[in-house]
């Protein structure tokens, strides 16, 4: 028979069943940690301080007069002649019809197949990437993300990498089998024929800056006013949800479209809340047009299945209106090669030199296709550099720049995460190497 001592010990608090943290509490703890890293300037109670979730940011469809073309019936030559060469935005329909991503990329699918995979949601104060598992991010988006003023969102240039982190216990359980799949997201879409001739591929995957991103976010998340890096153009294919765009032609004065803003500087929701209203005002007694109309502002309500072409040099701000899933890529084509080369040869000299040399080689090997591009770049050897922007930031977040008093200065270029204006590589490996060297010295 058990002794009294044994009986007492069995009732000891140390022997009682420990409190088991629920799945929801676990998720919330990981989300709080990620929010603190990604936005250290905000107290956790300040994320929903301004109650932007109570405001309506939907755009009236009648103001969206951007041309729309059908991918099925518009040739590449017609697209280049009407939109890429004149450097004009356009919305392309039916481009994603045959993509597996159009069918499969839903919240349920992403959670079941990629729930344990890590995706980038920002950077900390030391420029280190901050990641969340897909299942944690979707939990956030459907819970407190509904209330946050400017919610976290996935903006990941390495989305095709397999970043699973599983404990030995979870990896052996049957419940994790669905989320234990290799990353095959790149196989779910194909680069459209309009944009497949990307000259930056000539420089090699290691040297070229990040150029493709998976973008997932709920209402009010988005990217602040910026221009795409190195003068590249871009396409953004929306598979789920709705996005609101405002675009401005090249050389639009920066101090007008990118002033300091509150409550969150350089966030899309702040821009549409505090800056956009002034573009609706008719402030010139001699002109009946609004300020936005005089500047050539283009507004777009992007719908599921639509792809927007963003020409190089166009400043733009994008805000998600509901839960959105999209993929986007930047590119250098034979059409915009001159503008990209002028932007690249000074900010990224080695990259610019390699791009130039590779195009010259192609001009000799395939003169019918590349000779004209090679000769155009030759004429730029003595053209002065494009004036640099005052500051830049990672393309995974809003551009970070101060307002300028010069009416001729342009909005700051949003640099990629491995591309600073002085040529410094910002990949995780190089940042860790520089940190170790700084500590050593």
């Amino acid at each position: 028979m058990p002794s009294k001592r044994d009986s007492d010990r069995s009732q000891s608090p140390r022997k009682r069943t420990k409190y088991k943290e629920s799945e929801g509490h676990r998720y919330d703890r990981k989300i709080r940690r990620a929010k603190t890293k990604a936005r250290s300037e905000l107290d956790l109670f300040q994320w929903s301080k301004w109650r932007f979730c109570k405001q309506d940011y939907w755009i009236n469809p009648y103001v969206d007069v951007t041309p729309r073309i059908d991918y099925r019936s518009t040739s590449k030559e017609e697209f280049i002649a009407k939109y890429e060469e004149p450097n004009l935005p356009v919305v392309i329909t039916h481009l994603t019809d045959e993509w597996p991503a159009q069918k499969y990329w839903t919240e349920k699918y992403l959670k079941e197949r990629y729930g344990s995979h890590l995706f980038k949601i920002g950077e900390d104060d030391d420029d280190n990437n901050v990641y969340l598992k897909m299942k944690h991010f979707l939990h956030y988006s459907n819970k407190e993300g509904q209330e946050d003023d400017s919610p976290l969102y996935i903006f990941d240039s390495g989305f095709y990498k397999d970043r699973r982190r599983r404990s030995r216990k979870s990896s052996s359980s049957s419940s994790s089998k669905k989320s234990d799949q290799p990353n095959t997201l790149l196989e779910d879409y194909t680069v459209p024929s309009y944009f497949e001739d990307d000259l930056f591929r000539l420089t090699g995957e290691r040297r070229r800056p990040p150029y493709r991103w998976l973008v997932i976010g709920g209402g009010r998340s988005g990217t602040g006013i910026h221009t795409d890096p190195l003068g590249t153009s871009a396409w953004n294919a929306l598979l789920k949800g709705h996005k609101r765009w405002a675009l401005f032609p090249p050389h639009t004065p920066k101090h007008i479209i990118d002033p300091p803003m509150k409550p969150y500087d350089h966030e899309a929701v702040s821009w549409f809340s505090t800056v956009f209203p002034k573009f609706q005002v008719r402030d010139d007694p001699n002109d009946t047009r609004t300020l936005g109309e005089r500047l050539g502002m283009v507004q777009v309500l992007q719908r599921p299945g639509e792809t927007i072409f963003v020409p190089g040099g166009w400043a733009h701000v994008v805000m998600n209106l509901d839960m959105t899933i999209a993929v986007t890529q930047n590119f250098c084509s034979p059409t915009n090669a001159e503008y990209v080369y002028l932007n690249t040869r000074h900010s990224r000299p080695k990259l610019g030199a390699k791009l130039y040399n590779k195009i010259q080689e192609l001009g000799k090997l395939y003169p019918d296709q590349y000779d004209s591009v090679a000769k155009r770049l030759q004429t730029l050897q003595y053209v002065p550099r494009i004036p640099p922007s005052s500051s830049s930031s990672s393309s995974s977040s809003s551009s970070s720049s101060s307002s300028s008093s010069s009416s001729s200065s342009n909005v700051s270029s949003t640099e990629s995460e491995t591309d600073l204006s002085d040529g410094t590589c910002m990949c995780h490996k190089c940042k860790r190497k520089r940190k170790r060297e700084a500590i050593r010295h």
Side-chain angles (χ1 to χ4, degrees), residues 299-343:
Q299 297 191 65
V300 179
L301 174 60
Q302 188 182 15
R303 301 171 177 85
E306 291 187 335
T307 301
I308 184 170
F309 164 65
V310 183
W314 279 70
H316 51 284
V317 56
V318 192
M319 184 169 65
N320 300 318
L321 297 174
D322 48 14
M323 188 61 182
T324 62
I325 302 174
V327 62
T328 180
Q329 290 195 189
N330 291 66
F331 65 94
C332 169
S333 71
T335 305
N336 69 357
E338 294 164 277
Y339 185 60
V340 173
Y341 175 63
L342 283 174
N343 278 272

Side-chain angles (χ1 to χ4, degrees), residues 197 199 201 334 359 362-363 366-375:
D197 197 7
L199 297 177
R201 76 183 189 281
I359 292 177
L362 288 176
Y366 309 100
D368 292 342
Q369 188 174 358
Y370 294 103
D371 183 59
S372 62
V373 182
K375 289 180 178 178

Side-chain angles (χ1 to χ4, degrees), residues 104 133 148 152 178 303:
Y104 294 115
K133 287 184 178 180
D148 285 349
L152 295 171
K178 286 186 177 180
R303 301 171 177 85

Side-chain angles (χ1 to χ4, degrees), residues 97-130:
D97 287 357
E98 303 301 321
W99 287 6
Q102 183 69 73
K103 177 180 179 181
Y104 294 115
W105 285 13
T106 63
E107 290 183 58
K108 180 180 179 182
Y109 173 83
L110 293 174
K111 182 179 180 180
E112 289 181 350
R113 188 175 180 90
Y114 300 103
S116 296
H117 290 247
L118 292 164
F119 293 88
K120 181 182 174 183
I121 51 89
E123 294 180 351
D124 63 19
D125 294 338
D126 296 321
D127 294 323
N128 296 311
N129 295 339
V130 180

Side-chain angles (χ1 to χ4, degrees), residues 212-237:
R212 54 190 174 197
W213 293 267
L214 175 70
V215 189
I216 305 177
R220 300 176 308 286
S221 64
T223 307
I225 191 76
H226 68 282
T227 56
D228 286 330
L230 303 180
T232 55
S233 299
W235 55 270
N236 183 301

